[in-house]
Amino acid sequence: MPRFRLIAALVVALLMPLAVMAQSLDAVVADSIDQIEKPSRRTVGPLVDRIAATGPQGLALLQAWADRKLVLTDAGDLLIVDGDDAVDALTGDRMAAPDDRPLRPNSGVRGVIESALVASQLTDPDPARRAMALDTLARSGNADQLPPLRAALDDPDPVLAARKARLEKLMTIQHGTDPAARIAAIEAMAGDVALDFRAVLNPLLATRLVADTDAPQGNVARELRVGDDLPRADALAALVDKGALQPFMTSDEQRAALAANIVDGRVAGTPVADLGDPDIRDATYDALEASGAVPPAATESEAREALEAHRFFQLYAEPDSDVTDAARAAQVSAEVRLGAMKGVDLGLDALSLASIYFLAAIGLAVTFGVMRVINMAHGEFIMLGAYTAYTVQTLIADRTLSLVVALPLAFAVTFAAGVILYRLVIRHLAHRPLETLLATFGVSIALQQLAKNIFGTQARPLTAPAWLEGSITINDVISISSIRVAIFVLALLFLGLFLFIMKRTRLGLEVRAVTQNPGMAASMGINPDRIAMMTFGLGSGIAGIAGVAIGLFAQVTSELGQGYIVQSFMTVVVGGVGNIWGTLAGAALIGGLSKIIESLNPANTLAAQTFMILFIIIFIQFRPRGIIPQKGRAAEA
Amino acid sequence: MSALLEVSGVSVSFDGFRAINDLSFNIGECELRAVIGPNGAGKTTFMDIVTGKTRPDKGQVLWGETSKSLLKMTESQIARAGVGRKFQRPTVFEDQTVEDNLIMALKANRNPFAVLAWRPAPVTGARVTELAAEVGLSDHIHRQAGQLSHGQKQWLEIGMLLAQEPRLLLVDEPAAGMTLAERELTTALLVRLAQTRAVVVVEHDMDFVRRLNCKVTVLHQGSVLAEGSLDHVTRNPDVIEVYLGR
Amino acid sequence: MTRTPFILRNRSVLPVLAVLTAFTIAVTLLSHAYGSGVIPTSMVKVLGKTLCLALAAVAMDLVWGYLGILSLGQMAFFAFGGYMIGQWLMYARTEDIVAASLAQNPIPPTPLELQQATANQIFGVVGSADLPTTWAFAHSLPLQLMLVVAAPGLLALVFGWLAFRSRVNGVYLSILTQAMTLALALWLFQNDSGFRGNNGLSGLQNLPGLEGVGQAKVSVWFLWASAAALGLCYVLAAWIVSGKFGSVIRAIRDDETRVRFLGYPVEGFKLLVFTLAAMITAIAGALYYPQAGIINPAELMPIASIYLAVWVAIGGRGRLYGAIIGAVVVSLLSSWFTGGRAPDIALPGYVIKWVDWWQVALGLSFVLVTLFAPKGIAGIFDLMPARKDKA
């Protein structure tokens, strides 16, 4: 009989999922109420499984048990309490809140319960609950949950199945006990650049510095050489930590110790007034040390001896060297791929920055090409565009509609401003580029102050429509905000429009003629004054559009244009004038380079800008006329 | 005859257009030479190369007894070496007096510090008066150059060139915008100048060239088409074809 | 050929020196420290600073009005000079304070302790306790005084050499000079630039070792120093522009290519004038900032240099006294209008507050001057019959 019962028990155990299905929660609880009251980590497993198998009510009971919200009343009822509310754990009926204290299973038991909960959730018919369980595991999985996860790898939903497989590998690497399985998991995931994989690898490869007289026990990452790859101060600190060296004394401590031993204006026979000399001070301290009045402190020679006697090692926390080797290899390959992806991300960033510079600079480049004048108020036209969009937004609530209205309106407003500036100021200063520069600067400070007087000094928000918010994310590394994509598209559009105007219209033909040879153009009946006015308006109008674009991701202030104007000048200077491709090349170079320099030292954008400008000054040495210089005799002027 | 300036095998192109094509040209000391050619023949570019304004793609420009290459020198170094140039459009410094213009052009140390320490030597005034007299501006010596007539500016510029005491004088269309009387004066001056130095005159005006009565070099499409006396080159069928025959 | 001495040839030198002397004596006699006290010490400082700005304007005129380079980075040299003298002022004074506090200790400090405590006091604000290498000479007044002219001069020399060598000119060059000052400003804004980041250097009005003298006297001394510097540099500048050298640089301004064909090494002339002007500007800055008391990187932003150009243009460029007039008139008017002391203009329905509208008025008046009075305020002197001939 005992034999038969053993076999039966085995059968029951194997068929447990089926067998316990039949059991009701009432029966299970009635069966094992003692064990519920006083569970033991070692034996509670089967009970938890049985309760879990009874269905949602059982799972709720388990959750309450683990959360220490399950109360066993004197009457023998199991209640789930939540603050002042209580329900019967078996029936779900509302009950009066009990006076008794909840059951307090120890952490071992709670671990078992939570694993069971996760295991049951992982096989829950509802995919949403399965996904939730996976989220929980990914966030705070532990070694106990690895077996249930492995048991639940099959999933009808392919997405969830993939997630489970991935999580299983990650958890194996973290919590697995079999080195071969861990290495296999690491190798299977090598090349993955997701944050979670990298986060799993990092603790495996974490090291600590160990000073020892001989090669230490454990998984040695490498030996360090003092002075070459280990700063001397760090080595000394490690020796002090180990107790192989007395701590060094700071000059404050030394001074305090000396001050404590002043006797009649002398310390160990040395007059106090002489202690301003560091050598005398050290000698005095040594004398005190010899007399035992002060604790000994490390001296330079002791430090040297200790350094000679020790070797320094980096030790992995992970004891298995095969695992760390595999992890190191996986990390290297992840870093390589990560580098490539960061490059792509950087490229996207640079592209959007270049688009902005392009939009901001194109007007400058055109007016410079045609009239040889630099419009210092160009930045203020950018600002004017941004404020136009802001004003439109206060009048039209619908963000999309207001943007659609704002773009052409900003163009019109700044076009008009450009034409007015041309008629009133610039045409009267023909062939005096430096005077034009200064006169337009006067306009610039007047416009800036005017904007302050009208709109106030605080920043005005220009909100993008909902569909432009958020970003396009390709993976953990590569993402680009939708606004920047939109600005890129806008820049492309204006490049297209500009090329169309220049190559396909009468205006463009005349502009090109005036740019190349003003005298000849005038003698052929082209009115250079009108052409100059139109180009000036066009350039200003595009500045207005750039203002709207910039306003969408930066705050609109009266200094908005100032922030971009120098970069725009740089774009024109670097790109060369009189050719839109030059401006494009200049914008790409400036945008790309700023991003690259910034990525080399992300903490210090100020230094990045400094280096950028220095680069441009050097660049001008080699290509004084820009990347794409203007051709023909006009260039000689 | 030893050449003062020796240009050999020089080519230069702008954006694919060959302005000068394997040009060779020699001029000796104290020689007067006229360079003629249709528009775009490369006359101005030729002068640009000699004066260092344009760097040729290939070829050599050698100067003086030591055959020093001019190609490695800056414009100002070439000018100091003794090459003077008169532009087509008179370029004098209009904000300054005739005297200032002439003093600036006088042969002297051009180093900035030397210029800063410059004091008029006893002969300076006499030299300026002499030069002003030579170009007919004695009465205008304290006037602003900008107030002079077009012709007077031309003369002032010539005066400045003389002050420089160049060994080679490159003159670009000196007769442009001059009255007949002025032209005759100019011709006489150029001929006289060529007695003490080499003079290259670039000119369109055939009558003017004829009056110079010197060797003529005809440029066409960046290279020398013919060389010799005016009568000789005007009989050359190639020259008639490209220059005169139209 | 006889030449009159240049002081007589250049008609503006003697009047300018006379006015400057009279002004200095008048201010001294009206000051608190040495006279009736009609002019408060703060006003003495404003006047002293204005003289420094006038000096910077004279240098600007040399570069722009005579040489034709519209340098939009001139104030970089001004601030650079200020930083150089500020290093010594701040270090020496902090060292005095630190030494006094360390003297409370029973044990006298070692030189290293003194230096470290001083460094900590100066650089604690930017989270550093070490003296950067840029402060290696900060302990020595003679060395820092030398650096006041040497460092900005070297910057101008290197920058100018690069820019002129590549034949960058006109507005390109203006933009490049603007980029230079912006680069310098951005560099100084960093905390680890070695110049205390955006905190700048402060407490510069206190002369180390002269705490007992009082600001009333010190400010008059600085006024004298500023006036002396302005007078000397004016004479120097006038001498430079009056001779053949002046002829050549004006010729470079008008037609650089032609000057080259005359055989003059144009780049050398530009470099000499640019560097000299940078040095003069740096001296002006070194006198200005001890009177202002504080210097920070915002002083280097391009806008300051453009204002300098504006002053010269309004005053009348191409004549040195014009630069002085422009700097004095515009900077004093600006501080009067933006200081809130100017009476507001009440219109029906709107009150024009000068604090808000001065910038607009300045900007527009600048456009008007450029358009209608290219000779600036100094152009008025041309209308006076006695001065009809060249100034």
Side-chain angles (χ1 to χ4, degrees):
Chain A
M1 280 308 269
R3 232 184 126 81
F4 168 72
R5 282 177 66 177
L6 190 65
I7 292 168
L10 271 174
V11 170
V12 167
L14 283 172
L15 300 177
M16 188 96 101
L18 286 176
V20 294
M21 199 66 94
Q23 276 189 300
S24 74
L25 185 58
D26 300 338
V28 175
V29 170
D31 228 22
S32 328
I33 193 76
D34 291 347
Q35 225 187 339
I36 291 175
E37 191 175 1
K38 293 211 176 340
S40 141
R41 187 196 186 294
R42 267 174 296 148
T43 55
V44 78
L47 169 65
V48 169
D49 289 342
R50 279 164 65 201
I51 298 175
T54 58
Q57 200 71 41
L59 291 174
L61 187 150
L62 284 177
Q63 189 70 60
W65 195 11
D67 294 347
R68 297 181 173 170
K69 285 177 178 170
L70 191 66
V71 175
L72 181 62
T73 62
D74 290 342
D77 293 327
L78 273 178
L79 303 183
I80 296 170
V81 293
D82 189 7
D84 289 337
D85 297 330
V87 293
D88 190 307
L90 305 181
T91 60
D93 296 337
R94 284 195 152 274
M95 305 288 281
D99 299 329
D100 309 74
R101 281 160 49 95
L103 296 169
R104 299 180 66 79
N106 65 33
S107 59
V109 173
R110 286 164 68 200
V112 175
I113 299 173
E114 271 168 5
S115 303
L117 280 171
V118 168
S120 74
Q121 281 167 358
L122 283 174
T123 51
D124 196 288
D126 180 1
R129 292 196 63 137
R130 296 206 296 278
M132 231 161 71
L134 285 173
D135 289 344
T136 314
L137 272 188
R139 204 165 45 240
S140 57
N142 58 42
D144 288 340
Q145 290 155 342
L146 191 51
L149 175 62
R150 282 183 179 154
L153 280 180
D154 286 335
D155 198 297
D157 183 335
V159 176
L160 285 179
R163 277 193 67 189
K164 281 180 177 173
R166 183 180 162 79
L167 195 58
E168 190 269 331
K169 289 200 197 84
L170 287 173
M171 287 181 66
T172 304
I173 299 169
Q174 269 179 298
H175 306 297
T177 45
D178 175 16
R182 297 175 72 193
I183 292 166
I186 290 171
E187 280 167 358
M189 293 196 72
D192 198 315
V193 293
L195 276 174
D196 52 2
F197 179 54
R198 283 182 280 148
V200 164
L201 286 181
N202 283 336
L204 282 185
L205 294 169
T207 58
R208 64 199 161 91
L209 179 65
V210 171
D212 210 329
T213 45
D214 216 335
Q217 295 292 309
N219 185 2
V220 175
R222 60 185 186 134
E223 185 172 354
L224 298 175
R225 216 172 277 282
V226 178
D228 294 344
D229 37 19
L230 180 67
R232 192 169 185 270
D234 291 0
L236 289 176
L239 288 173
V240 171
D241 282 349
K242 189 178 154 54
L245 187 65
Q246 295 285 341
F248 272 90
M249 191 168 245
T250 66
S251 99
D252 279 350
E253 288 162 351
Q254 191 189 38
R255 200 172 57 220
L258 290 171
N261 286 285
I262 299 177
V263 181
D264 298 335
R266 284 169 177 272
V267 180
T270 314
V272 167
D274 292 351
L275 292 177
D277 184 317
D279 292 337
I280 296 178
R281 212 187 252 193
D282 280 349
T284 311
Y285 190 88
D286 286 345
L288 281 178
E289 197 180 307
S291 72
V294 290
T299 63
E300 187 52 41
S301 63
E302 282 167 13
R304 216 173 299 132
E305 273 170 32
L307 283 175
E308 302 245 318
H310 286 80
R311 293 164 68 189
F312 296 87
F313 301 92
Q314 276 184 327
L315 273 189
Y316 285 120
E318 167 65 43
D320 192 321
S321 66
D322 290 339
V323 173
T324 48
D325 287 349
R328 159 86 44 213
Q331 197 182 43
V332 167
S333 87
E335 270 165 8
V336 168
R337 293 200 45 171
L338 203 63
M341 287 186 179
K342 275 192 177 147
V344 173
D345 191 53
L346 198 67
L348 286 176
D349 269 3
L351 208 59
S352 64
L353 192 64
S355 310
I356 290 165
Y357 288 159
F358 176 70
L359 279 178
I362 176 173
L364 273 180
V366 172
T367 47
F368 191 79
V370 175
M371 279 168 285
R372 305 270 129 196
V373 297
I374 281 272
N375 175 17
M376 292 291 274
H378 193 78
E380 277 54 53
F381 287 167
I382 295 177
M383 170 200 81
L384 209 59
Y387 272 121
T388 307
Y390 167 74
T391 311
V392 170
Q393 203 170 63
T394 57
L395 301 176
I396 301 176
D398 185 274
R399 300 263 178 263
T400 308
L401 185 63
S402 79
L403 191 61
V404 169
V405 175
L407 280 172
L409 195 65
F411 185 89
V413 167
T414 45
F415 184 93
V419 167
I420 292 170
L421 180 63
Y422 179 80
R423 304 280 317 176
L424 291 185
V425 180
I426 290 170
R427 63 183 297 209
H428 303 291
L429 294 171
H431 308 302
R432 287 156 66 194
L434 295 184
E435 275 90 335
T436 313
L437 193 154
L438 281 175
T440 50
F441 169 72
V443 175
S444 153
I445 55 174
L447 278 180
Q448 229 181 85
Q449 185 63 43
L450 216 54
K452 270 192 198 125
N453 294 352
I454 296 171
F455 294 97
T457 44
Q458 75 270 42
R460 300 289 181 179
L462 185 59
T463 323
W467 52 271
L468 270 181
E469 276 165 6
S471 56
I472 299 169
T473 307
I474 295 167
N475 61 23
D476 280 351
V477 184
I478 307 176
S479 79
I480 183 165
S481 72
S482 308
I483 288 184
R484 288 183 178 264
V485 176
I487 290 171
F488 176 66
V489 172
L490 202 63
L492 275 187
L493 244 144
F494 270 89
L495 174 62
L497 178 72
F498 196 84
L499 283 177
F500 174 79
I501 291 177
M502 282 301 172
K503 307 260 183 220
R504 291 273 181 274
T505 64
R506 176 82 198 167
L507 174 67
L509 182 72
E510 294 183 352
V511 167
R512 279 183 290 146
V514 173
T515 307
Q516 278 160 18
N517 194 337
M520 182 67 90
S523 66
M524 294 182 71
I526 296 172
N527 180 353
D529 193 46
R530 195 186 69 89
I531 292 301
M533 188 177 79
M534 292 301 286
T535 24
F536 205 86
L538 186 67
S540 307
I542 298 177
I545 299 281
V548 180
I550 292 169
L552 283 177
F553 67 87
Q555 297 267 316
V556 184
T557 67
S558 59
E559 271 120 28
L560 176 91
Q562 287 299 306
Y564 287 88
I565 192 69
V566 176
Q567 273 84 352
S568 307
F569 286 150
M570 294 295 128
T571 301
V572 174
V573 170
V574 167
V577 292
N579 184 326
I580 190 161
W581 300 111
T583 313
L584 197 64
L589 186 73
I590 303 264
L593 214 61
S594 339
K595 282 291 165 191
I596 289 171
I597 297 175
E598 230 170 78
S599 73
L600 294 180
N601 186 2
N604 202 336
T605 51
L606 288 173
Q609 291 186 53
T610 313
F611 287 127
M612 180 75 224
I613 294 170
L614 286 182
F615 166 81
I616 290 165
I617 293 176
I618 307 284
F619 177 87
I620 293 295
Q621 298 302 304
F622 299 100
R623 307 228 43 167
R625 292 185 186 281
I627 301 172
I628 303 182
Q630 197 169 23
K631 289 174 180 170
R633 290 215 166 169
E636 300 287 320
Chain B
M1 185 171 74
S2 76
L4 178 68
L5 177 75
E6 191 180 329
V7 176
S8 52
V10 167
S11 295
V12 67
S13 42
F14 301 115
D15 306 327
F17 166 68
R18 274 242 155 145
I20 296 285
N21 189 8
D22 198 22
L23 176 83
S24 296
F25 178 93
N26 285 329
I27 187 166
E29 307 251 16
C30 308
E31 185 186 343
L32 180 61
R33 176 78 63 89
V35 174
I36 60 173
N39 266 334
K43 299 181 304 258
T44 305
T45 311
F46 160 69
M47 289 173 103
D48 285 348
I49 288 173
V50 173
T51 52
K53 195 177 176 198
T54 300
R55 304 265 162 227
D57 301 332
K58 61 173 203 228
Q60 273 193 320
V61 181
L62 300 177
W63 168 257
E65 296 78 9
T66 54
S67 291
K68 214 169 145 192
S69 173
L70 292 184
L71 297 181
K72 291 188 187 72
M73 292 159 72
T74 64
E75 291 104 307
S76 56
Q77 282 169 334
I78 292 173
R80 288 201 294 276
V83 178
R85 177 170 183 181
K86 193 205 156 299
F87 287 86
Q88 201 170 326
R89 199 161 44 90
T91 43
V92 296
F93 301 106
E94 309 209 341
D95 247 18
Q96 309 193 31
T97 61
V98 170
E99 184 186 21
D100 286 340
N101 271 290
L102 287 173
I103 287 178
M104 236 190 296
L106 276 181
K107 192 179 169 107
N109 192 339
R110 302 301 210 215
N111 179 289
F113 292 100
V115 174
L116 202 54
W118 180 86
R119 322 280 312 146
V123 295
T124 310
R127 181 86 180 108
V128 168
T129 318
E130 181 191 330
L131 281 165
E134 182 152 17
V135 293
L137 292 171
S138 295
D139 299 339
H140 308 285
I141 204 153
H142 291 297
R143 275 179 76 189
Q144 301 269 309
Q147 295 167 0
L148 301 178
S149 73
H150 184 84
Q152 283 172 321
K153 284 180 193 167
Q154 292 273 33
W155 279 108
L156 175 56
E157 195 177 6
I158 290 169
M160 287 166 74
L161 276 175
L162 297 180
Q164 266 180 276
E165 297 173 26
R167 295 179 63 196
L168 168 66
L169 201 51
L170 302 172
V171 190
D172 202 351
E173 302 200 16
M178 281 193 172
T179 63
L180 200 61
E182 281 172 338
R183 283 174 191 222
E184 271 166 22
L185 276 172
T186 311
T187 324
L189 179 72
L190 288 173
V191 171
R192 183 153 52 81
L193 284 176
Q195 289 164 3
T196 49
R197 72 206 72 213
V199 178
V200 175
V201 182
V202 166
E203 189 49 79
H204 263 317
D205 188 328
M206 274 303 156
D207 290 338
F208 189 85
V209 173
R210 187 172 301 280
R211 236 175 276 138
L212 286 176
N213 191 23
C214 65
K215 192 171 167 186
V216 174
T217 302
V218 186
L219 289 189
H220 177 60
Q221 291 181 350
S223 40
V224 176
L225 190 66
E227 210 165 56
S229 71
L230 187 63
D231 290 336
H232 172 76
V233 299
T234 45
R235 279 197 297 273
N236 184 318
D238 290 342
V239 175
I240 295 167
E241 166 79 24
V242 304
Y243 192 74
L244 305 162
R246 275 183 296 178
Chain C
M1 185 177 173
T2 56
R3 265 161 74 98
T4 45
F6 101 93
I7 296 261
L8 297 177
R9 225 170 346 115
N10 196 317
R11 288 163 162 272
S12 73
V13 171
L14 288 178
V16 165
L17 289 182
V19 170
L20 193 61
T21 314
F23 168 82
T24 311
I25 292 171
V27 173
T28 307
L29 291 180
L30 295 175
S31 73
H32 250 295
Y34 295 99
S36 61
V38 175
I39 300 181
T41 300
S42 64
M43 193 62 205
V44 175
K45 285 193 179 191
V46 169
L47 294 174
K49 285 192 287 182
T50 307
L51 290 180
C52 298
L53 294 176
L55 179 52
V58 168
M60 178 74 194
D61 200 15
L62 214 48
V63 172
W64 182 29
Y66 288 89
L67 188 60
I69 296 173
L70 175 52
S71 163
L72 297 183
Q74 215 58 21
M75 286 309 258
F77 305 122
F78 191 78
F80 206 166
Y83 264 104
M84 289 298 111
I85 195 67
Q87 279 186 311
W88 176 76
L89 285 170
M90 192 157 180
Y91 186 87
R93 190 173 134 77
T94 311
E95 195 180 47
D96 285 354
I97 294 169
V98 166
S101 94
L102 286 181
Q104 307 292 317
N105 258 313
I107 309 283
T110 60
L112 187 65
E113 277 176 339
L114 184 61
Q115 199 203 47
Q116 277 174 346
T118 308
N120 195 26
Q121 187 71 29
I122 297 176
F123 289 97
V125 67
V126 289
S128 164
D130 298 320
L131 208 58
T133 43
T134 41
W135 287 63
F137 304 129
H139 58 88
S140 156
L141 177 60
L143 284 177
Q144 286 296 142
L145 280 179
M146 214 180 71
L147 282 181
V148 162
V149 287
L154 188 68
L155 173 68
L157 196 67
V158 172
F159 176 85
W161 185 76
L162 287 174
F164 304 147
R165 191 187 70 100
S166 54
R167 301 266 169 99
V168 178
N169 49 30
V171 288
Y172 264 49
L173 186 55
S174 301
I175 297 301
L176 215 55
T177 54
Q178 193 183 26
M180 177 200 72
T181 184
L182 184 67
L184 209 58
L186 292 177
W187 180 260
L188 287 172
F189 265 121
Q190 304 171 87
N191 276 345
D192 55 1
S193 63
F195 290 92
R196 286 173 36 107
N198 62 356
N199 305 289
L201 309 182
S202 55
L204 308 184
Q205 72 277 26
N206 304 302
L207 297 186
L210 292 176
E211 281 83 0
V213 177
Q215 287 296 308
K217 278 191 177 172
V218 170
S219 52
V220 176
W221 295 353
F222 266 106
L223 181 91
W224 292 344
S226 308
L230 178 57
L232 283 176
C233 291
Y234 190 88
V235 173
L236 175 70
W239 175 68
I240 287 173
V241 301
S242 63
K244 182 171 164 186
F245 190 89
S247 225
V248 174
I249 61 173
R250 273 178 290 144
I252 290 174
R253 174 191 71 193
D254 295 336
D255 192 343
E256 182 177 322
T257 314
R258 181 74 181 92
V259 179
R260 242 180 229 122
F261 286 122
L262 278 178
Y264 287 98
V266 168
E267 285 69 36
F269 281 83
K270 284 184 173 178
L271 208 51
L272 182 60
V273 175
F274 189 67
T275 307
L276 189 74
M279 288 173 164
I280 294 176
T281 315
I283 291 172
L287 286 166
Y288 179 94
Y289 287 104
Q291 303 181 63
I294 182 164
I295 179 171
N296 64 47
E299 306 279 326
L300 278 88
M301 288 309 273
I303 188 97
S305 303
I306 304 182
Y307 273 122
L308 187 63
V310 168
W311 297 341
V312 173
I314 288 185
R317 80 196 132 93
R319 48 184 103 201
L320 296 169
Y321 59 92
I324 295 183
I325 293 171
V328 170
V329 169
V330 184
S331 74
L332 285 183
L333 273 184
S334 280
S335 61
W336 189 62
F337 277 113
T338 54
R341 266 173 291 174
D344 295 339
I345 300 174
L347 297 178
Y350 189 82
V351 179
I352 294 184
K353 290 199 177 66
W354 278 114
V355 180
D356 290 340
W357 287 92
W358 164 247
Q359 286 285 80
V360 180
L362 179 66
L364 293 182
S365 65
F366 186 52
V367 176
L368 294 179
V369 166
T370 320
L371 282 178
F372 300 112
K375 288 182 175 176
I377 300 173
I380 296 169
F381 290 104
D382 289 353
L383 304 176
M384 291 158 67
R387 299 196 173 272
K388 213 166 177 186
D389 50 355
K390 178 174 74 153

